[in-house]
Amino acid sequence: MLNTKPSEPTEEQICQYTRAYVLDLFGSMFFADSSRDSVPAMYLQFIQDLDSLEQYNWGGVVLAYLYISLCVAVQRKTKLMSGPTVLLQHWCWSRLPTGRPRPLNDWSPNWGNPNEHEYPAFGDKWCCLHDYRQGHNWSGVSYFRNELQKLEDYMVKWEPYNALLNQIPCKLPLRVIDERGVWLARVPLVHFWIIEHY
């Protein structure tokens, strides 16, 4: 029997697979639209040179796309929501008591004692096992609309990461802490023709 060992991928093959992965992330996660199976060609220019990807403010671009997607969803009489809905879901779960799953174990992730570069991201707290079965599971959209209408300002946890910031040592990745100065920046978020003031 011949021992066939797979050959090492070439640099070009690695780049091709990386481009395909990034393009899939753009179309399915960051800039998803209602087509569900296509990615606009306008993003191809950004993956031609993979080294240039880090020059762009992708967080701002994704937020701009989310904001315009929310505006479109509430203005039109449609049941379609596009954009980075996972980001919106994480934001809601971290701040609003309505519709949030209950963790099966401890509420916060097991941060352990990594170094300051390896602390998990804040959203990692939702990666543990959760119980999604709640009394309102079969209530439909009207239940959630009603619960959201009843929310008062004091019920919203506007800065859920403050507990982590106040710990010594701080339990957020160093790159997040280093960018703390722009957390409350007032800047336009730009995504092609979309300009959202933030």
Side-chain angles (χ1 to χ4, degrees):
M1 182 174 221
L2 280 169
N3 185 9
T4 55
K5 182 180 175 185
S7 58
E8 289 292 320
T10 64
E11 186 72 26
E12 183 59 30
Q13 288 172 323
I14 292 172
C15 289
Q16 288 171 349
Y17 279 99
T18 304
R19 286 187 189 100
Y21 180 70
V22 171
L23 197 60
D24 181 58
L25 282 177
F26 282 175
S28 64
M29 190 68 76
F30 303 141
F31 311 113
D33 59 21
S34 57
S35 71
R36 298 181 185 161
D37 63 353
S38 63
V39 183
M42 62 189 179
Y43 297 114
L44 290 174
Q45 61 186 309
F46 299 106
I47 60 174
Q48 188 172 3
D49 178 15
L50 293 174
D51 292 329
S52 70
L53 279 172
E54 62 185 17
Q55 297 175 5
Y56 299 98
N57 177 5
W58 292 107
V61 172
V62 169
L63 274 179
Y65 193 76
L66 174 62
Y67 293 160
I68 198 69
S69 299
L70 287 169
C71 290
V72 169
V74 297
Q75 288 176 0
R76 295 181 182 170
K77 294 184 178 179
T78 178
K79 295 181 181 179
L80 295 176
M81 172 67 196
S82 59
T85 53
V86 172
L87 177 64
L88 179 63
Q89 183 180 31
H90 279 228
W91 188 92
C92 291
W93 284 357
S94 297
R95 290 162 176 81
L96 307 177
T98 304
R100 177 170 41 198
R102 295 183 179 100
L104 292 178
N105 302 316
D106 183 21
W107 178 249
S108 60
N110 181 10
W111 298 101
N113 293 308
N115 65 46
E116 56 193 8
H117 297 282
E118 295 175 349
Y119 284 116
F122 181 74
D124 195 49
K125 67 190 288 182
W126 301 109
C127 294
C128 62
L129 294 175
H130 290 82
D131 182 9
Y132 295 89
R133 292 173 297 163
Q134 300 178 26
H136 53 68
N137 271 3
W138 306 108
S139 304
V141 176
S142 58
Y143 170 84
F144 292 102
R145 282 195 185 128
N146 188 42
E147 289 298 304
L148 289 171
Q149 289 290 335
K150 292 192 296 188
L151 279 178
E152 305 257 342
D153 190 58
Y154 72 90
M155 299 173 174
V156 179
K157 198 171 185 180
W158 292 110
E159 296 179 346
Y161 31 76
N162 275 349
L164 293 174
L165 284 170
N166 295 329
Q167 289 181 4
I168 299 175
C170 179
K171 299 285 182 131
L172 287 173
L174 186 62
R175 61 184 169 77
V176 173
I177 299 166
D178 288 345
E179 295 173 358
R180 195 172 182 182
V182 298
W183 287 2
L184 301 177
R186 294 184 179 180
V187 295
L189 304 174
V190 181
H191 175 267
F192 290 99
W193 61 90
I194 300 168
I195 300 174
E196 290 288 327
H197 294 282
Y198 176 69

